[in-house]
Amino acid sequence: MIALKAEDVRDFTSKLFLGEAFDGFLVKEAKIVTYNQFSIDGHIRKGYFGPEELEEKGIEEFSSWAMLRPFCFSLIKGKKLPESFQIVLQLPARNTEQFAASSGCGMDGKQIQGLYLNIRYEDGALYCITGVGLQFFTTDRTLEREWDEGVKKFLHGRGIVCSQQ
């Protein structure tokens, strides 16, 4: 787990809320504080969709950032900055399996509960904190180190400048 501080908060939030840079992630949860505190549980209510729709749209356990991004943006847009927000993004299962295979960690993607990117904004600073959830205990930190490096490359590839804290 590492913490990365965004050097340009405005650029980061623009890419997060207006661009498509993070659209490939799923939203585990989000909390946005403006004039109220808004909490979003990213779990999909599968009963809302028909079986064909679930399969056709490839809907997983959580909502995609692409689906929730416009709603979240509507909560923060305006003349005043939000007091804070926290968004927990998760790499989709199919990408997690690919990442595990290419990381050299020796784990099967099904052994990984989640690869997370926690985005926190508060007091004018924005941080990205990486996280890994496993289905079992291990002292091997290969996957965690690879995920940390993968997130750094992901952000760098999108022109997002961060410093490690």
Side-chain angles (χ1 to χ4, degrees):
M1 176 175 80
I2 58 171
L4 303 167
K5 183 178 182 183
E7 297 298 321
D8 186 340
V9 174
R10 180 182 212 110
D11 179 60
F12 188 102
T13 55
S14 175
K15 289 176 179 172
L16 178 65
F17 290 106
L18 297 173
E20 297 176 358
F22 296 87
D23 283 1
F25 285 94
L26 302 176
V27 179
K28 188 164 185 190
E29 62 185 55
K31 182 172 74 171
I32 298 171
V33 181
T34 56
Y35 60 90
N36 281 105
Q37 178 174 299
F38 301 92
S39 296
I40 298 169
D41 175 357
H43 284 90
I44 291 285
R45 309 269 309 171
K46 296 213 176 183
Y48 183 80
F49 299 99
E52 304 85 29
E53 202 172 7
L54 287 170
E55 188 176 326
E56 179 184 306
K57 293 183 179 180
I59 296 174
E60 299 190 43
E61 182 181 359
F62 298 103
S63 295
S64 68
W65 177 244
M67 184 185 297
L68 290 178
R69 180 170 42 88
F71 177 73
C72 291
F73 177 65
S74 73
L75 294 173
I76 67 158
K77 72 179 179 182
K79 293 181 181 180
K80 294 183 180 183
L81 294 173
E83 279 186 24
S84 65
F85 62 80
Q86 178 178 338
I87 302 166
V88 180
L89 299 176
Q90 180 177 342
L91 198 64
R94 65 188 175 279
N95 298 82
T96 298
E97 290 177 22
Q98 291 170 350
F99 186 84
S102 68
S103 72
C105 69
M107 287 183 212
D108 180 70
K110 294 182 183 7
Q111 295 176 304
I112 302 169
Q113 191 173 0
L115 297 174
Y116 304 104
L117 178 59
N118 300 289
I119 300 170
R120 295 182 182 175
Y121 169 78
E122 191 169 33
D123 298 326
L126 192 144
Y127 294 90
C128 294
I129 298 115
T130 61
V132 173
L134 298 174
Q135 301 285 357
F136 63 95
F137 176 78
T138 182
T139 57
D140 183 359
R141 298 289 173 232
T142 304
L143 178 66
E144 189 174 321
R145 284 190 301 271
E146 289 297 318
W147 179 238
D148 294 345
E149 289 304 312
V151 168
K152 287 185 207 176
K153 288 177 188 173
F154 170 83
L155 295 172
H156 179 75
R158 281 140 188 88
I160 298 171
V161 179
C162 293
S163 59
Q164 190 165 332
Q165 300 297 295

